[in-house]
Amino acid sequence: MYLKYCQLILLYSVNFVNGFGFFDIGNTFNHLNKELYSLASDWNGDVKTRWIEQELDHFNPEEKRTWKMRYFQRLSYWRPNGTIYLLMGGEGEASSRWTATGIMYELAKETNGAMFVSEHRYYGKSKPINTTDVRNFKFLNSRQAIADNVKLIKYIKSWKMLNNSKVVVIGGSYSGNLAAWTRMLYPEIVDAAIASSGPVLAKKDFFEYLEKVNDNYEQYGTSDCLDNIRNIFKRYDKLLQSCEGIKLLKEEENICQESDLTDRKNQQVFFSYKVETFVTNSQYGNTKMIENHCKNLNESLKHKIPQKTSKPIFWVARKRCYYYDYDTMIEEYKDKRNDWVMAWIYQTCTEFGYYQTTSSKSQPFTDNISLNFYTEMCSILFGAEIDEKRIDAGIKYTNEFYGGRRPNVTKVVFTNGDLDPWSTLGVLEDLSYNAPAVVIPRASHCRDLFSNRKDDIEELKEARKHIKYLIKNWTEAGDFLSI
């Protein structure tokens, strides 16, 4: 039963600095691209931006409409018989900086390769159709995206200087799936693939995500960290059960008075925001970040200091307070500036699920982020026909079509960091001699796609070396195997 009379709700217009509150359901490409700008050392502007005409629907000959897909190319290191490398775009804007650092860049240098980066349809500047109309998302799915990349590869291979070159596709997170699936569906076109941190198993209730976060904090945090986390979240839960508790919580957490925290959905928005730091440290961080976070939690509890938060999500600048409101969050998603968010949520609703709930008891965050929190969003954003039945059907089709954790594929290396919560949906054991799994101790999401840094652990550096060896071996780049 929800509390209804704790306060008089005032309706007014709210402007967020950033409207994305629940934890990451598909922000990998944007996050990783930000890192590239500080890491890309070999950046001299010799990258070309190109466009290729694509069919709106590759599988319906009666659909005649076309659109322009953006991609980047760099041929600085190409020499005759060099390999073609394509980094496949995912759920965000593509970055040409992948041609200046990272594992693709190193492979291209070591094998006289040509580098390309594609941009996924409906993301970045590759917009097939007006995405402000939700009906137009029907052309957004992984099969269409794979077909886009296959057409790009065929076009590149039509160049006289590259028509005899081997092709390697590379992807991370969702695009790691795409890389493996492209090799599986088009082995006559793609010779090998790197599938980094790919959650190849579609799953609606992805409760394992927070279980992994729990395990990370138990293993790498301080001895009392998990108990402290449980106590913090249990206290949130208790405070939200009474008018007096809500009043106190608003004072402690600087929550706008207008936030109706008697509403269950708004409470879930609050909890999902509070989980974010723990999620970020596991998905993108390292063991030291987890340990330091635990130490900071301990100090905060000892001295009764409010928890420091990250950049102000749900922040009302003019009132300098947090406004947790589900309906306003939904309206933010619909804003055309956030069309990439709408695109990714649509893919979760129709293909993948990936909803990170608190339904498991093996996590410390209480059970306050339900499956309905996500599934109802699908119908609200995309219409009543995108209901839970449609979500289930999409997930079933995805797993049956691609094979889940056991895709029928060779010459793909599946890499995962064992710190990464997404790894629980990935390939963690060898499928065969020519489809190995590389699990990297204490590494997080997609870290193998980057170049070595001084503070990288040795296991990560060795994994990158092994991945490059496999790709060279599979593409018969024999002249370069000693590098």
Side-chain angles (χ1 to χ4, degrees):
M1 181 178 294
Y2 303 153
L3 302 169
K4 289 296 184 184
Y5 303 105
C6 287
Q7 59 183 348
L8 175 65
I9 304 301
L10 304 178
L11 301 179
Y12 73 118
S13 176
V14 179
N15 293 313
F16 295 146
V17 174
N18 185 330
F20 314 131
F22 62 84
F23 45 96
D24 183 59
I25 60 168
N27 194 21
T28 294
F29 241 67
N30 293 322
H31 183 95
L32 298 180
N33 285 342
K34 288 179 182 178
E35 285 195 55
L36 291 176
Y37 284 89
S38 62
L39 299 175
S41 57
D42 184 13
W43 183 250
N44 54 19
D46 61 345
V47 181
K48 307 299 182 185
T49 302
R50 304 294 192 205
W51 300 83
I52 182 172
E53 188 173 39
Q54 295 281 8
E55 285 73 26
L56 185 59
D57 189 341
H58 291 277
F59 308 104
N60 180 10
E62 295 182 1
E63 174 59 72
K64 304 299 183 184
R65 285 177 290 178
T66 61
W67 61 285
K68 294 291 182 69
M69 182 180 86
R70 184 172 65 158
Y71 69 97
F72 303 105
Q73 73 176 47
R74 185 177 184 186
L75 306 178
S76 308
Y77 301 108
W78 182 83
R79 298 292 181 272
N81 298 318
T83 304
I84 296 168
Y85 295 99
L86 171 62
L87 192 142
M88 301 176 70
E91 69 286 11
E93 185 169 3
S95 174
S96 59
R97 302 260 169 168
W98 286 107
T99 66
T101 186
I103 201 165
M104 178 178 74
Y105 167 76
E106 293 175 6
L107 278 165
K109 285 183 68 175
E110 295 169 12
T111 64
N112 295 341
M115 289 180 280
F116 298 87
V117 179
S118 66
E119 189 165 65
H120 196 296
R121 57 169 58 201
Y122 287 81
Y123 297 97
K125 292 181 171 59
S126 296
K127 303 294 174 58
I129 201 165
N130 178 13
T131 54
T132 59
D133 185 341
V134 297
R135 293 172 296 181
N136 292 331
F137 279 114
K138 68 180 181 179
F139 301 104
L140 170 59
N141 59 64
S142 57
R143 284 195 68 194
Q144 297 284 2
I146 289 169
D148 290 337
N149 282 278
V150 168
K151 182 173 180 178
L152 174 60
I153 293 169
K154 288 179 178 178
Y155 169 67
I156 293 168
K157 290 272 287 183
S158 72
W159 303 355
K160 185 176 181 179
M161 67 179 192
L162 292 173
N163 60 8
N164 290 320
S165 294
K166 295 292 180 70
V167 176
V168 176
V169 293
I170 302 168
S173 197
Y174 161 55
S175 77
N177 293 356
L178 296 180
W181 295 338
T182 305
R183 164 63 186 164
M184 180 183 75
L185 296 175
Y186 300 93
E188 74 283 2
I189 295 171
V190 173
D191 297 283
I194 300 172
S196 174
S197 299
V200 292
L201 180 68
K203 196 172 192 293
K204 184 169 63 174
D205 187 355
F206 185 18
F207 61 82
E208 295 91 344
Y209 188 98
L210 289 180
E211 287 185 341
K212 187 63 175 178
V213 175
N214 177 97
D215 293 347
N216 290 338
Y217 273 79
E218 183 175 35
Q219 185 171 358
Y220 301 111
T222 56
S223 59
D224 53 354
C225 192
L226 265 185
D227 286 338
N228 288 336
I229 297 169
R230 288 191 191 95
N231 291 334
I232 289 169
F233 278 82
K234 283 180 180 178
R235 183 172 181 271
Y236 290 151
D237 184 58
K238 184 177 181 180
L239 289 175
L240 287 169
Q241 294 176 21
S242 69
C243 299
E244 295 78 11
I246 289 174
K247 181 180 178 181
L248 179 59
L249 184 65
K250 285 185 174 183
E251 293 174 356
E252 293 179 350
E253 297 289 334
N254 193 23
I255 299 171
C256 302
Q257 290 302 310
E258 294 82 2
S259 291
D260 180 11
L261 291 185
T262 65
D263 186 281
R264 177 62 176 159
K265 287 185 178 179
N266 296 345
Q267 291 179 4
Q268 292 188 91
V269 172
F270 170 79
F271 275 101
S272 63
Y273 172 63
K274 285 299 178 182
V275 169
E276 273 196 354
T277 302
F278 302 93
V279 165
T280 300
N281 286 341
S282 287
Q283 182 163 324
Y284 299 116
N286 53 51
T287 58
K288 193 65 178 176
M289 290 174 64
I290 292 173
E291 181 184 8
N292 288 337
H293 187 206
C294 286
K295 290 178 179 178
N296 291 335
L297 283 176
N298 294 348
E299 285 300 307
S300 298
L301 290 171
K302 185 186 301 182
H303 300 290
K304 296 183 179 181
I305 301 171
Q307 292 298 310
K308 292 183 178 179
T309 55
S310 57
K311 63 181 179 180
I313 300 171
F314 297 111
W315 180 254
V316 183
R318 64 184 176 85
K319 300 198 73 172
R320 301 189 63 78
C321 58
Y322 293 93
Y323 183 70
Y324 300 110
D325 184 78
Y326 183 89
D327 293 335
T328 308
M329 181 182 74
I330 292 295
E331 290 306 310
E332 283 287 300
Y333 292 160
K334 292 179 180 179
D335 191 295
K336 64 181 180 180
R337 295 170 300 174
N338 303 326
D339 55 1
W340 73 266
V341 180
M342 285 284 284
W344 179 245
I345 294 176
Y346 179 81
Q347 288 195 261
T348 70
C349 296
T350 55
E351 292 190 87
F352 306 120
Y354 293 154
Y355 301 130
Q356 300 150 26
T357 73
T358 54
S359 63
S360 170
K361 293 183 180 179
S362 299
Q363 50 82 25
F365 306 109
T366 68
D367 189 8
N368 277 292
I369 306 172
S370 70
L371 188 59
N372 287 342
F373 178 70
Y374 299 105
T375 57
E376 290 180 10
M377 198 179 300
C378 297
S379 297
I380 293 171
L381 290 174
F382 306 111
E385 66 275 13
I386 310 296
D387 56 10
E388 193 158 2
K389 184 177 180 181
R390 174 64 179 87
I391 295 170
D392 289 334
I395 290 170
K396 181 180 179 183
Y397 176 84
T398 297
N399 288 330
E400 289 179 351
F401 186 79
Y402 295 117
R405 285 199 185 96
R406 299 198 64 82
N408 184 19
V409 71
T410 61
K411 296 186 178 179
V412 176
V413 53
F414 294 91
T415 65
N416 282 281
D418 78 347
L419 202 67
D420 179 18
W422 286 102
S423 68
T424 58
L425 297 183
V427 177
L428 302 180
E429 296 181 355
D430 294 353
L431 300 178
S432 68
Y433 177 78
N434 275 326
V438 176
V439 180
I440 310 167
R442 294 173 290 144
S444 56
H445 200 56
C446 298
R447 296 318 305 174
D448 51 295
L449 294 183
F450 290 88
S451 295
N452 289 341
R453 292 189 288 186
K454 290 182 180 179
D455 58 346
D456 283 342
I457 58 176
E458 287 303 313
E459 292 93 334
L460 180 56
K461 294 177 182 178
E462 285 299 312
R464 290 174 179 141
K465 183 178 178 181
H466 180 58
I467 294 163
K468 289 194 293 181
Y469 168 81
L470 290 171
I471 294 300
K472 292 173 186 177
N473 188 39
W474 289 336
T475 55
E476 300 173 355
D479 293 343
F480 311 103
L481 285 177
S482 61
I483 294 177

